[in-house]
Each structure stands twice: as C-alpha cells, then as structure tokens.
Amino acid sequence: MILWLASQPIWTCALLVVGIPTVIAMILTVFVRSNVGFERLVSNNEVAGFKFAVVGVVYAVLLGFAIITVWEKFKDAEDAVTAEAASTAGIYRLADEFESTYRPALQAGVRHYLTSVLGREADTMETGQADVSTTIALNNLYTSVLAAKPTNAKESDMFSATLDDLRLLAEARRERLELSRGAAPPILWSVLVGGAILNIAFALFFGTKHVMSQVIMTGMLAAVIFMSLFVVININYPFTGGLKVSVEPLKYTLENLSSQD
C-alpha cells in the first residue's frame, strides 16, 4: 500500500494521504459532538488535555525520527548514483591506458552497463527490484576487466585502479538497489499510521463552546500529521513517484563518454 501511494502522481498522493483523511477527521468531530454532546465532552478537557500532551509529544518524536531517517536515506541514494557515475567514468578513462586488445571490450562494457541501468533498471527500481540484464552487464564488465593482462608497471597500476573503481561501482549499485526497497521497516509504518489514528481520535474527546472552532482545530491537527506522513511516504522510496532521486548523473556520464569516441 505504501509503495502504491508513493508511485502515484504527487497531487493524487496528497489527496489520498492528506486531503481525504483530514476531511474525514473534521466530519468525525461533528459526528461525535452531535452524538455525545458538548457537556460530556467539555468535562474531559482538563484530564484528557494532560494525557493528550504526553501522547502528542511521544508521537511527534517518533514522526520526527522517521522523517530524519528517510531523508538521510534519500540523500544516501543520491550519493550512490553520483558514486556509480564517477566509477563508470573512471573505468572508461582508465581503459585508454590498456593495450588496444582489451580497450574496446572494457569501454563497450561500461557503455552497455550504463545503457542497461538507464533503459531497464531505472524502471525496475520503482518497485524496488533489480534488473537481471543489468546484473549480467556488470558481470560481463568484471570479466572484461579481469581478462586484461598488465604487461608493465604502468598497466599494473592502471589495472589496480580499475579494479578499485569496479569495486566502488558494484558497491554503489548494491546500495542503490537496497535503498530503492524503502528505508522504513513495516513495523514503523504500523506505528506511524496507528499513532496518527490515535492522536486524531484523542482530539475527539475534547469539547469547545463553538463547534466550528473544534472542527477547524481538529482539521489543522489532522492536516499537520498527514502532511508529515505524506513527506515520509514520498521520500521513503527514493526512486519511486514524483519526488525521486534523478539518474541524470548516469545519463550525463553515458553521453559524455559516447561523445569522446
């Protein structure tokens, strides 16, 4: 469900996560006020107010923790894409130092890998899945690198540097795929959604003299909570939906390398 919401257009997600639940919370306020009565609700204000403050603070801390966590993972995903682009560019350029026997296979392997990421894996990442053909392209690139036999000290240094870049490339891709599956575990989502429902339900126990004032306050409380959840949902999957990490560094690298041929 969370992944489905994140994959929707940004305004559709906002409507489903913020708009409709906020309206429901306001309608429930009127319903409870009409069926319970002002006198019974206002008698809860003093005791319920103290308890609500505790519940609200605990949930606010948890919600803030969730936002910070998914934002850090979102930034990690951006860094992984940048590192992946830098590593592929490094391998491509270092291939110029090898004998002509090995150079075409190395550079073709880099281009094929980038093409596969942009053409296939960029789409499968939206559902948190790796692309098999991209994995094969990376394996083939490994094969091409390991097939290159250094013939002198300079090529030996270049070979070691290429292996380092290839290792960084594999690690960056692994991190990118892992982050595409989402940062928040299912149990955290259960607590976040359950806490939101409990906080809004708690607000229904209060009573104010003017019903419209209570409806507006409940609506504002619900809007703040659901807007926070909206942020968490949309950046929890960094490669899904309208707010996602761009693969532009990889695209730029491929275009730049192709222009040098």
Side-chain angles (χ1 to χ4, degrees):
M1 173 60 77
I2 301 299
L3 179 59
W4 179 81
L5 286 171
S7 65
Q8 300 303 304
I10 196 72
W11 293 112
T12 301
C13 184
L15 177 64
L16 295 174
V17 176
V18 182
I20 294 177
T22 298
V23 172
I24 292 175
M26 296 172 75
I27 294 173
L28 285 174
T29 302
V30 177
F31 176 81
V32 172
R33 179 69 174 261
S34 301
N35 288 271
V36 178
F38 169 70
E39 291 76 13
R40 293 184 62 183
L41 290 175
V42 77
S43 64
N44 297 327
N45 287 358
E46 185 174 349
V47 176
F50 171 75
K51 295 182 178 179
F52 182 67
V54 176
V55 172
V57 168
V58 171
Y59 184 71
V61 170
L62 178 64
L63 194 55
F65 169 77
I67 291 176
I68 292 173
T69 298
V70 296
W71 175 249
E72 289 178 344
K73 296 298 183 182
F74 190 87
K75 296 299 292 182
D76 289 344
E78 290 182 329
D79 293 341
V81 172
T82 302
E84 192 173 1
S87 298
T88 53
I91 296 171
Y92 194 91
R93 291 188 175 93
L94 287 171
D96 288 331
E97 302 299 326
F98 288 90
E99 290 184 359
S100 58
T101 306
Y102 309 113
R103 189 185 309 139
L106 287 172
Q107 294 182 336
V110 172
R111 290 194 301 270
H112 180 61
Y113 173 78
L114 288 172
T115 302
S116 184
V117 172
L118 295 169
R120 296 175 179 271
E121 199 159 67
D123 295 329
T124 61
M125 278 194 304
E126 293 189 359
T127 57
Q129 302 296 320
D131 174 58
V132 176
S133 63
T134 304
T135 302
I136 295 174
L138 180 59
N139 292 337
N140 291 338
L141 182 56
Y142 262 104
T143 301
S144 298
V145 171
L146 295 176
K149 304 298 182 182
T151 58
N152 53 53
K154 181 181 179 181
E155 288 189 1
S156 181
D157 291 339
M158 293 302 103
F159 181 74
S160 297
T162 302
L163 285 179
D164 288 339
D165 279 338
L166 189 56
R167 175 181 57 82
L168 293 174
L169 169 61
E171 289 178 355
R173 178 180 182 247
R174 189 180 304 112
E175 182 177 12
R176 169 170 59 77
L177 292 174
E178 183 63 30
L179 292 171
S180 72
R181 299 183 179 99
I187 189 171
L188 181 58
W189 283 113
S190 300
V191 174
L192 288 175
V193 175
I197 294 173
L198 290 176
N199 270 272
I200 294 171
F202 214 127
L204 302 179
F205 285 90
F206 295 94
T208 61
K209 183 176 181 180
H210 300 287
V211 63
M212 187 54 63
S213 298
Q214 186 174 355
V215 170
I216 293 174
M217 287 189 290
T218 302
M220 289 190 294
L221 171 65
V224 169
I225 291 176
F226 290 125
M227 281 190 295
S228 299
L229 289 177
F230 170 76
V231 172
V232 178
I233 289 171
N234 277 276
I235 63 177
N236 180 64
Y237 297 97
F239 298 100
T240 303
L243 298 175
K244 61 182 178 180
V245 173
S246 174
V247 293
E248 194 65 27
L250 296 172
K251 182 179 179 181
Y252 172 78
T253 299
L254 178 60
E255 293 173 349
N256 188 43
L257 296 180
S258 298
S259 66
Q260 294 179 6
D261 293 341

